[in-house]
């Protein structure tokens, strides 16, 4: 991966410190992948007796994955702060952060409810830079809009371990080669098809949805005799990373809308370390990412664990959903 990142020195020069940080993140993903694949032997597939800031019971591997990210991201002396799904407070690494220092936001193990049933899970990360010198104790400094991200990526721990990254000039996919331990470029310049016939939503929440989402879903399942005039397929893997990777690979649209069950919390998915990185990746691959009314990357965060509605994927379908929200 390093040779690939260095090769981009021409068109879009990457700071050497950013390359080192990305290598540390890639190492985190390799270590987490190894821990997961050995989880059953180490009796680590189960839950702890603690809950995270999200109010979710933490899996042992959630805690381990968080520790791995913290340990490796702390290597770089340009990392000023870490924001983790698994930790309530902002983790400041420097007493006097400097302009240009990195802010790293991550969900160390997304979809961990899939672990004990051996389904795909992943890690999601986002990197921004401090715009100005600040007092380390000022947590508001990490509340940057998604459009400020300089890098975003995720790793899928599935049949193979993939690492997908954007640094603002397209999206590239790497696969972990077990023999050498390298992440080798296997999916250069990933592009999301403009149209799709595949949608992903947790349909068990149908009665909770707002009208525009029900309208979209009803029309998809109405098939060729319905208003869309074509049949759709549905997928739901309860792992955002796996859904996004499928969409990057063959197209599709993913929805986790605000509904009557999560409206008080603002939605289900978290803005800083789920929606923002995935929105940057999807847009860089030619897709779109909105809340139904706003472009996700334009949102000004109000807290570092803020939740938002998420609709992302093939541009044509996201446009249909935006229109239905406007009509409503
Ligand atoms: P549900 C995993 O917990 C997650 O945050 C996303 O990765 C995933 O898309 C969603 O929640 C699954 O939600 O309603 O299926 O439990």
């Amino acid at each position: 991966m390093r040779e690939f990142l260095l090769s981009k020195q021409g068109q879009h020069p990457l700071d050497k410190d950013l390359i080192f940080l990305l290598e540390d993140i890639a190492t985190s993903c390799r270590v987490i992948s190894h821990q997961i694949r050995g989880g059953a032997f180490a009796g680590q597939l189960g839950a702890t007796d603690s809950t995270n800031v999200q109010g979710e019971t933490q899996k042992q591997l959630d805690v381990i994955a968080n520790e791995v990210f913290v340990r490796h991201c702390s290597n770089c002396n340009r990392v000023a702060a870490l924001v983790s799904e698994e930790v309530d407070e902002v983790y400041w690494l420097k007493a006097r952060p400097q302009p240009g220092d990195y802010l790293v936001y991550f969900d160390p193990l997304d979809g961990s409810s899939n672990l004990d049933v051996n389904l795909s899970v992943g890690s999601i990360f986002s990197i921004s830079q401090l715009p100005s010198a600040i007092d380390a104790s000022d947590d508001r400094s990490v509340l940057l809009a998604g459009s400020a991200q300089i890098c975003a990526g995720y790793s899928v721990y599935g049949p193979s371990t993939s690492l997908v990254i954007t640094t603002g000039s397209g999206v590239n996919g790497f696969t972990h080669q077990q023999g050498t331990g390298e992440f080798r470029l296997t999916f250069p310049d990933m592009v999301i098809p403009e149209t799709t016939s595949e949608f992903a939503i947790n349909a068990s929440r149908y009665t909770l949805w707002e009208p525009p989402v029900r309208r979209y879903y009803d029309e998809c399942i109405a098939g060729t005799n319905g208003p869309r005039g074509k049949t759709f397929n549905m997928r739901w893997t309860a792992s955002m990373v796996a859904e996004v990777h499928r969409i990057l690979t063959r197209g599709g649209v993913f929805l986790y809308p605000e509904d009557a069950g999560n409206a008080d919390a603002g939605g289900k998915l978290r803005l800083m370390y789920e929606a923002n990185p995935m929105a940057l990746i999807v847009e860089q691959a030619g897709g779109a990412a909105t809340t139904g009314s706003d472009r996700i990357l334009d949102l000004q965060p109000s807290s570092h664990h803020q939740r938002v509605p998420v609709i992302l994927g093939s541009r044509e379908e996201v446009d249909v959903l935006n229109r239905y929200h406007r009509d409503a």
Side-chain angles (χ1 to χ4, degrees):
M1 185 178 79
R2 174 184 288 199
E3 57 197 336
F4 172 80
L5 295 173
L6 287 168
S7 70
K8 298 179 76 71
Q9 292 308 337
Q11 317 97 303
H12 302 278
L14 297 182
D15 189 307
K16 291 281 193 301
D17 286 321
L18 178 61
I19 292 177
F20 295 154
L21 175 55
L22 280 170
E23 287 193 308
D24 281 330
I25 289 173
T27 300
S28 301
C29 296
R30 269 195 289 268
V31 171
I32 292 167
S33 177
H34 176 71
Q35 295 276 17
I36 286 171
R37 298 183 194 292
F41 306 118
Q44 290 172 330
L45 292 179
T48 65
D49 54 10
S50 59
T51 57
N52 61 17
V53 63
Q54 323 292 343
E56 297 160 346
T57 302
Q58 286 182 305
K59 300 279 191 181
Q60 294 171 69
L61 282 163
D62 281 323
V63 176
I64 292 167
N66 181 63
E67 289 164 356
V68 170
F69 259 88
V70 170
R71 182 165 73 247
H72 289 95
C73 291
S74 303
N75 287 334
C76 174
N77 65 13
R78 289 263 318 268
V79 174
L82 303 174
V83 175
S84 169
E85 188 213 30
E86 296 299 334
V87 180
D88 186 6
E89 62 280 348
V90 176
Y91 183 29
W92 288 99
L93 295 175
K94 295 175 77 167
R96 297 293 308 153
Q98 297 304 308
D101 279 355
Y102 299 124
L103 304 172
V104 187
Y105 311 77
F106 55 87
D107 181 354
L109 201 53
D110 178 66
S112 55
S113 61
N114 282 341
L115 277 171
D116 47 3
V117 293
N118 198 22
L119 293 177
S120 293
V121 293
S123 302
I124 311 172
F125 65 90
S126 163
I127 303 172
S128 292
Q129 289 184 282
L130 266 182
S132 57
I134 49 117
D135 170 5
S137 63
D138 184 357
D139 284 1
R140 291 166 305 173
S141 311
V142 305
L143 302 180
L144 303 179
S147 51
Q149 294 174 101
I150 60 168
C151 175
Y154 63 81
S155 191
V156 186
Y157 311 117
S160 61
T161 294
S162 304
L163 179 63
V164 173
I165 292 175
T166 182
T167 54
S169 54
V171 177
N172 291 283
F174 303 80
T175 302
H176 180 230
Q177 185 167 46
Q178 292 199 329
T180 63
E182 288 176 284
F183 272 113
R184 297 187 56 188
L185 182 66
T186 45
F187 302 98
D189 298 320
M190 300 180 86
V191 173
I192 298 176
E194 176 88 12
T195 63
T196 183
S197 301
E198 193 162 70
F199 67 93
I201 192 167
N202 182 345
S204 70
R205 302 180 70 91
Y206 182 89
T207 57
L208 301 170
W209 294 338
E210 297 294 312
V213 175
R214 279 201 207 175
R215 175 183 174 189
Y216 179 79
Y217 175 84
D218 290 343
E219 291 182 359
C220 285
I221 61 174
T224 48
N225 299 324
R228 301 299 308 275
K230 66 178 188 178
T231 55
F232 281 77
N233 192 16
M234 187 187 129
R235 287 285 183 272
W236 189 251
T237 65
S239 171
M240 184 187 196
V241 177
E243 314 275 10
V244 170
H245 193 67
R246 184 187 60 249
I247 288 168
L248 270 168
T249 306
R250 70 186 191 208
V253 61
F254 168 84
L255 300 86
Y256 213 111
E258 185 175 292
D259 61 34
N262 62 38
D264 291 348
K268 158 96 188 229
L269 303 179
R270 275 67 54 151
L271 174 60
M272 303 308 289
Y273 38 79
E274 288 176 326
N276 270 343
M278 293 309 201
L280 180 65
I281 291 165
V282 164
E283 286 198 4
Q284 282 287 316
T290 78
T291 62
S293 49
D294 300 298
R295 178 177 178 247
I296 284 174
L297 294 183
D298 292 339
L299 298 176
Q300 178 50 51
S302 56
S303 78
H304 56 275
H305 291 301
Q306 175 179 347
R307 296 171 187 261
V308 292
V310 176
I311 296 171
L312 59 76
S314 293
R315 185 167 289 280
E316 182 180 84
E317 293 306 305
V318 175
D319 289 349
V320 167
L321 278 149
N322 287 338
R323 178 157 45 86
Y324 289 2
H325 280 78
R326 279 195 304 276
D327 293 351

